[in-house]
Amino acid sequence: MSINALYKTSATATGGRDGKAETDDGSFSIKLGTPKELGGNGDGNNPEQLFASGFAACFLSAMKFVASQNKDLPAVPADASVNATVGIGLRSDKGFALAVALEVRMPGVDRSAAEALVAEADTVCPYSHATRGNIEVTLAVA
């Protein structure tokens, strides 16, 4: 790793989309299943669901972090949420690609202030860094 990691975790998958994945410390284990839309039976969770969950949680944490560091930004209300929609489809050249839409809800917060917070969170979220320039990601404040 080329970063000075503050935290590391490891997970192992077996069986691909119709197998299982678990963290090496045993704290997380999940049955995987290919979605019906991709030819599977839909029995189990899939990598896109895991990615959506991780991106949503990480982005909300990034919002809280930037709000705590910049008093010009609004505080993140307890009932704030981030919904991540992850799509998978065929690329025009070959293989598959992902696209992500993040929808942020901040009840009681002025829209322009919420948009400023979301824009700043996008500059620090590690998922945003990992995806920027690689896949389409759209941000919206609901």
Side-chain angles (χ1 to χ4, degrees):
M1 279 188 189
S2 63
I3 62 166
N4 182 17
L6 301 173
Y7 169 77
K8 291 191 269 186
T9 189
S10 296
T12 301
T14 56
R17 286 182 168 273
D18 291 308
K20 70 175 189 170
E22 59 188 335
T23 56
D24 292 354
D25 67 5
S27 65
F28 177 79
S29 180
I30 192 163
K31 179 183 179 201
L32 300 171
T34 302
K36 291 178 181 178
E37 296 85 350
L38 296 179
N41 65 13
D43 185 26
N45 293 99
N46 61 68
E48 292 73 33
Q49 291 170 322
L50 298 173
F51 189 73
S53 298
F55 204 156
C58 190
F59 198 85
L60 185 54
S61 291
M63 290 167 48
K64 291 178 178 183
F65 175 77
V66 297
S68 74
Q69 302 298 303
N70 185 339
K71 298 307 174 194
D72 291 332
L73 294 172
V76 177
D79 58 350
S81 65
V82 175
N83 177 275
T85 301
V86 174
I88 184 170
L90 295 172
R91 293 172 49 108
S92 60
D93 53 2
K94 70 177 194 177
F96 296 88
L98 299 175
V100 178
L102 297 179
E103 181 179 81
V104 177
R105 294 186 184 280
M106 293 182 61
V109 176
D110 174 74
R111 182 180 196 82
S112 63
E115 288 172 344
L117 176 66
V118 165
E120 187 64 19
D122 188 46
T123 70
V124 302
C125 175
Y127 276 73
S128 294
H129 287 298
T131 58
R132 189 171 289 110
N134 295 312
I135 66 171
E136 176 188 346
V137 177
T138 58
L139 304 171
V141 175

